[in-house]
Amino acid sequence: MPHVTDPGTPGARPPAAPRFLPGGPPAVLADGEPDPYTWMRNSDLPAMRDYLAAERAYYDQQTDARLREELAGELIARVPEAEESVSWRRAGHTYFTRTVPGQEFEQFCRAGTGGGPAVVLLDTNLLLGDPDCTGGYVALGVREVSPDGRLLAYSVDFDGDEVYQLRIRDLVSGTDLADRIDTTYYELAWAADSRSFFYTVPDDCYRPHEVRRHRLGTPEDQDVLVFAERDKRFELTVRSTRSGAYVLIESESRDTTETLLIPAADASAAPAVLEPRRAGVEYRADHGDGPDGGEFYLVTNDRATEFRLVRVAARAPGRAGWAEVIAGSPDTRLASAEVFGRHVVVEQRHGAATQLRILDRDTGAQRLVEADGAQTSLTLATNEDYAAPAVTVRTQSLIDPPAWHDVDLASGRWEPRKRQGVLGYDPARYVTERITAPAADGTQIPVTIAYCRGARPDGTAPCLLYGYGAYESCEWPEFSPSTPSLLDRGFVYAVAHIRGGGEGGRTWWLDGRLDRKRNTFTDFIAAADMLADRGWAARDRIVSRGLSAGGLLQGAVFSMAPLRWRAVVAEVPFVDCVASMLDPSVPLTVNEWDEWGDPRDPRVRAYMVLQPLQQRPRRAPPGPAGHREPARPAGADPRTGQVGRQAPGLGYRGPRHPRQPPALPARIGRRGARRAGGTLRPAALRG
């Protein structure tokens, strides 16, 4: 079995960032307080370039190149060169994605008719040769087939700033139309006639603030402004209902929602408000067909902290006509409701685990669908067919690769479809389970762990503890082909489901945001203490890890309990919270005040001890081997132009949207996090 060593050069000193760079920009915060690291916002300064180079050199010096190559080889050996996704149906066609040997990106395909070969609709690999791709980077934003199946709207980002160029492909000829729109964001919705579509536009702070309508064959400057959101706390999304009857424009702040309706068959109609915004009230709607235009189903926190399900006639959708279908419950968070013909599928969280509830629209009968324990996550996969008799679900755990099943909506019967291939991997060699840690106030904090079968909690194992704890984002157990490399080296891998996240419901988030943010940090420390006290981890061999807002977590727990950690891995860490929140001109700031607080308010500022850059220990404690563990550098956020600001031992400040660690699959940008916890679901590439 591979073993763990302590790489690095004892006694080597890490580079130190200069304070108050001579000749640099004014070293003050927006409120006039001294800020010695303001200069680090400018990545073009020679001093900043030199500092980043020194950090990288220190990292290379302190890490074992042979071990890195060994780990990379193990990962590559587990990943099949070619793989095909589970297929899904839409408007009479079957779609899927696939990877092919020697290619980095996937192909988007449609099954052939009459048994013929599949047709590649979009090969992302070919976009690397696009004239606009000058830096070798490509990412897709939307991928939406028109209702008639003849056109594909797709958007491309070639520099990583999450601003996309929108294109339209003729799926008969395989060529792109002349229509191109250069500045768009996530989400797109086609009108029913397949001749026009709705899309979102970001402002200078990368906030999607407008929805516009484009008609094929017309220049972009003739696009119609359908709706503009002037309140900077709100962002816009646009989507089609699965029934195809409506286009929904959703305006959302962190705790308030307003949805506008446009009949898909009348794209030029003025938007109608489903339910006017009321501060603190959220809802998400889907449409079910029926007499007089059918009805809407809404998951809402109106009069229910953990949300309830209501329905209302589409012809008069206001709150006065809401009829309760599923009452709110203090121990069950309703997250979304998806309509499939006669049935509604509700995604919910109970006991820090995921569940589905199937509701018969005609009889009111309900059926609960669960995984085999809290250590296994369960979610809806891609389901685009409104009339489907079954839905595809995905399950996985820290040790079990994703598996897809069809669940019959009428009977609840499961039928297996696919399990993700992992070469040479046997999940029977490992164990995963859910345990709990007592927080300082007595709250039980769920922790999911994985380890090699036969291992005993004898207090000798090294442990990697991961946490996030923000935005009501849920860190459900997920499999990664890299995880076995960790477990095979004797590690225990643990994920702490701390407050500020959403695993325990809306109250779980409320207890870890704003003036309760300290709970997030103490929960994580309590999880580490529990792992050591119960023998799952050696007391001096616990490594903590988090990304973005989870990097802020790392800065805070390092400050609060510096001797608890063998090492701290903070990737793109948001360690400079106060400075960012004080400057509304910085992208992604105004609409974050509801999560972190607005430090321009003295009462809020007094509580924001979550400023790791200011609250860090005077000296980083030495590692057990006598040297400081290396920092993990992270790149610049192309939207803010900031490389970041370093807290010693923590790496660099980066964008606040979470990226899952390599031990977990990556998710799409900041919008994915904001919607994973709330009533809006993550943006996804759909066929």
Side-chain angles (χ1 to χ4, degrees), residues 304-609:
T305 300
E306 298 296 342
F307 292 70
R308 61 189 179 121
L309 179 67
V310 301
R311 66 181 173 188
V312 64
R315 66 180 181 275
R319 180 172 179 262
W322 289 4
E324 188 168 85
V325 180
I326 300 176
S329 172
D331 65 356
T332 302
R333 165 71 155 94
L334 303 189
S336 68
E338 310 288 336
V339 184
F340 296 89
R342 178 175 168 172
H343 296 90
V344 179
V345 179
V346 177
E347 292 185 287
Q348 62 184 43
R349 311 172 202 148
H350 176 78
T354 49
Q355 300 174 331
L356 301 178
R357 192 188 310 201
I358 301 174
L359 169 71
D360 189 307
R361 293 173 60 196
D362 294 339
T363 68
Q366 298 183 25
R367 183 186 304 276
L368 192 64
V369 178
E370 300 179 274
D372 60 1
Q375 74 278 3
T376 301
S377 61
L378 167 70
T379 187
L380 285 172
T382 302
N383 292 278
E384 297 294 329
D385 185 1
Y386 176 77
V391 293
T392 303
V393 302
R394 183 181 68 246
T395 60
Q396 60 182 316
S397 75
L398 296 180
I399 64 170
D400 295 299
W404 290 263
H405 294 77
D406 280 349
V407 177
D408 186 271
L409 292 171
S411 67
R413 185 179 63 253
W414 289 53
E415 291 291 340
R417 291 192 61 187
K418 176 184 172 63
R419 180 174 290 277
Q420 179 178 302
V422 182
L423 301 178
Y425 176 73
D426 180 9
R429 296 182 54 212
Y430 309 95
V431 177
T432 183
E433 59 182 286
R434 171 69 62 81
I435 56 180
T436 60
D441 61 2
T443 302
Q444 294 297 311
I445 308 303
V447 181
T448 305
I449 62 173
Y451 51 91
C452 278
R453 186 173 298 279
R456 296 289 182 265
D458 58 8
T460 63
C463 175
L464 175 63
L465 176 62
Y466 174 75
Y468 187 73
Y471 302 111
E472 203 183 347
S473 178
C474 299
E475 303 306 308
W476 300 123
E478 298 182 2
F479 177 81
S480 168
S482 62
T483 300
S485 292
L486 192 70
L487 304 183
D488 288 345
R489 287 168 171 78
F491 272 81
V492 170
Y493 179 43
V495 178
H497 307 287
I498 51 183
R499 284 175 285 186
E503 295 93 333
R506 171 51 58 93
T507 303
W508 202 251
W509 170 62
L510 295 175
D511 282 345
R513 72 186 275 254
L514 298 178
D515 60 358
R516 302 179 189 176
K517 192 62 197 173
R518 184 178 176 85
N519 286 336
T520 303
F521 312 143
T522 55
D523 286 357
F524 192 79
I525 295 171
D529 290 343
M530 177 275 295
L531 291 167
D533 291 344
R534 298 185 190 174
W536 287 111
R539 292 187 176 276
D540 61 349
R541 304 185 76 188
I542 300 176
V543 177
S544 67
R545 186 182 189 187
L547 289 82
S548 192
L552 182 148
L553 167 69
Q554 301 311 309
V557 300
F558 177 67
S559 301
M560 295 169 69
L563 300 181
R564 162 50 68 205
W565 318 107
R566 177 65 168 263
V568 174
V569 182
E571 298 180 73
V572 287
F574 178 36
V575 297
D576 202 5
C577 183
V578 170
S580 297
M581 294 294 100
L582 277 170
D583 189 353
S585 68
V586 174
L588 316 181
T589 292
V590 173
N591 49 4
E592 299 285 342
W593 284 336
D594 287 336
E595 181 73 26
W596 307 105
D598 182 354
R600 297 177 303 175
D601 183 333
R603 295 170 300 175
V604 175
R605 178 64 175 272
Y607 181 80
M608 290 182 75
V609 294

Side-chain angles (χ1 to χ4, degrees), residues 11-30:
R13 297 182 62 83
R19 293 170 56 88
F20 300 106
L21 182 71
V28 293
L29 297 174

Side-chain angles (χ1 to χ4, degrees), residues 96-98 105-110 119-127 138-144 152-156 167-169 171 174 176 685-686:
F96 63 95
T97 62
R98 69 185 180 194
F105 298 101
E106 68 182 19
Q107 298 175 339
F108 175 47
C109 306
R110 184 157 66 190
V119 178
V120 177
L121 305 181
L122 181 65
D123 188 340
T124 309
N125 299 283
L126 299 181
L127 294 173
V138 61
L140 294 181
V142 300
R143 189 177 62 199
E144 293 280 352
L152 172 68
Y154 71 99
S155 62
V156 191
R167 306 175 176 186
I168 308 298
R169 176 160 297 182
L171 297 182
D176 287 353
L685 300 177
R686 297 192 295 267

Side-chain angles (χ1 to χ4, degrees), residues 69 76 166 195 229 239 306 327 338 421 536 559 646 652:
E69 292 176 1
I76 292 171
L166 183 59
R195 300 303 302 166
E229 179 54 74
R239 61 184 174 92
E306 298 296 342
E338 310 288 336
W536 287 111
S559 301
Q646 185 197 27
Y652 308 107

Side-chain angles (χ1 to χ4, degrees), residues 181 183-188 197-204 206-214 220 223-232 234-239 248-252 260 271 671:
I181 304 172
T183 305
T184 71
Y185 209 56
Y186 297 105
E187 290 97 25
L188 178 143
F197 56 81
F198 301 82
Y199 63 94
T200 56
V201 178
D203 63 13
D204 292 340
Y206 297 85
R207 177 181 68 97
H209 72 129
E210 293 181 348
V211 171
R212 298 179 186 175
R213 185 179 72 250
H214 176 81
E220 179 185 349
D223 288 359
V224 176
L225 176 62
V226 179
F227 181 74
E229 179 54 74
R230 304 307 182 194
D231 190 329
K232 292 185 178 181
F234 286 76
E235 299 180 355
L236 297 179
T237 63
V238 63
R239 61 184 174 92
L248 306 183
I249 298 174
E250 294 158 322
S251 184
E252 178 210 28
L260 307 179
R671 298 185 65 77

